[in-house]
Amino acid sequence: MRRPAAPPLAKTLTSACQNAGMSEPTPVRRPLLPPHLVKPLAIAFGIGLLLFFLLWLDQRSDSDFFKAGSPSSGATADGETLPAPVPADVASEDGNASGLNMPREGMRPAAPAGEQPRIIEPPAPPPPPPAPVAPTAVADSDAVPLSRPPPRYPQEALRRNIGGTVQVRASIATDGSVERMEVAESSGNRFLDRAAMEAVRRWTFKPAMRNGRATSSDVVVPIAFNPQN
């Protein structure tokens, strides 16, 4: 069998170079600064350098000015001598180098009468508030008779020499009058019981007190009858 012919060597190298160029592109390097900022930065750098140079010249001239004269000799750069300081006794009698006379202690002007210093006394503290007065406790009390007209002895009981004690329960109003009454304990004689109730009806009382106020109450009043008196 017949073998196929081999391709030419030049054509093979050319194809390899083209494939290599297509597979590995050359990287592009980016600039550090954008092109539109390079010119302003250069101008700013130049201005800063110029200002530094002017400041350096100014400081150099100042240092030369201080070195021109000698402090001990009192001479300036032009050869002129500075005047000596004025002594204290020549300037003024009180030693003031400015020449201004200071007022003496005895010659100071007095303050006007309305501006004399005075001692301001602190205001007196306010008096303490009065202590609260405790309410006076009012004792409670029962009804007390003020007027007690004596009972009339019944003639029938007196003739029969009958005596005894009648217990009368009376209801006392807030004005001290007797509202109603009844026989709480009889004497055993109706004439004595009736005479006792008529007597208590004419009595007046001081009303009972509860928490400082008059109030109605009931009392039991004993009425004794003795035919020997």
Side-chain angles (χ1 to χ4, degrees):
M1 294 180 63
R2 187 177 182 183
R3 295 181 180 179
L9 180 59
K11 186 176 181 178
T12 302
L13 293 178
T14 303
S15 300
C17 291
Q18 290 179 357
N19 293 334
M22 293 177 64
S23 60
E24 296 181 0
T26 304
V28 179
R29 296 183 61 184
R30 296 182 180 179
L32 296 177
L33 295 176
H36 62 279
L37 292 180
V38 175
K39 186 175 181 179
L41 289 178
I43 296 175
F45 179 76
I47 294 175
L49 186 61
L50 179 60
L51 292 176
F52 175 77
F53 180 73
L54 294 177
L55 181 62
W56 178 76
L57 290 179
D58 184 33
Q59 292 180 354
R60 183 179 181 184
S61 60
D62 292 341
S63 60
D64 293 343
F65 171 77
F66 287 110
K67 291 180 180 179
S70 175
S72 58
S73 61
T76 61
D78 299 336
E80 297 179 358
T81 304
L82 297 175
V86 181
D89 55 349
V90 177
S92 60
E93 296 180 357
D94 56 356
N96 188 8
S98 62
L100 300 177
N101 295 328
M102 301 297 294
R104 299 179 181 178
E105 293 295 333
M107 299 178 61
R108 293 182 178 178
E115 299 180 1
Q116 292 293 337
R118 56 190 179 89
I119 300 175
I120 301 177
E121 298 181 358
V133 179
T136 304
V138 179
D140 298 339
S141 60
D142 297 331
V144 179
L146 299 177
S147 175
R148 295 182 291 180
R152 296 176 183 178
Y153 209 109
Q155 293 296 329
E156 184 68 22
L158 184 60
R159 186 170 52 251
R160 296 181 180 181
N161 199 22
I162 299 175
T165 301
V166 182
Q167 300 285 344
V168 179
R169 179 181 290 108
S171 297
I172 311 302
T174 56
D175 58 353
S177 62
V178 178
E179 290 183 336
R180 59 184 181 273
M181 57 187 173
E182 62 182 0
V183 177
E185 184 177 349
S186 176
S187 63
N189 185 279
R190 60 176 181 162
F191 296 106
L192 296 180
D193 294 346
R194 186 181 302 171
M197 294 183 64
E198 290 178 355
V200 173
R201 184 180 290 109
R202 297 192 304 268
W203 286 15
T204 58
F205 292 81
K206 179 182 178 181
M209 304 296 294
R210 296 292 183 270
N211 298 326
R213 299 180 60 182
T215 181
S216 59
S217 63
D218 294 341
V219 296
V220 177
V221 181
I223 304 296
F225 293 92
N226 188 0
Q228 304 298 328
N229 295 337

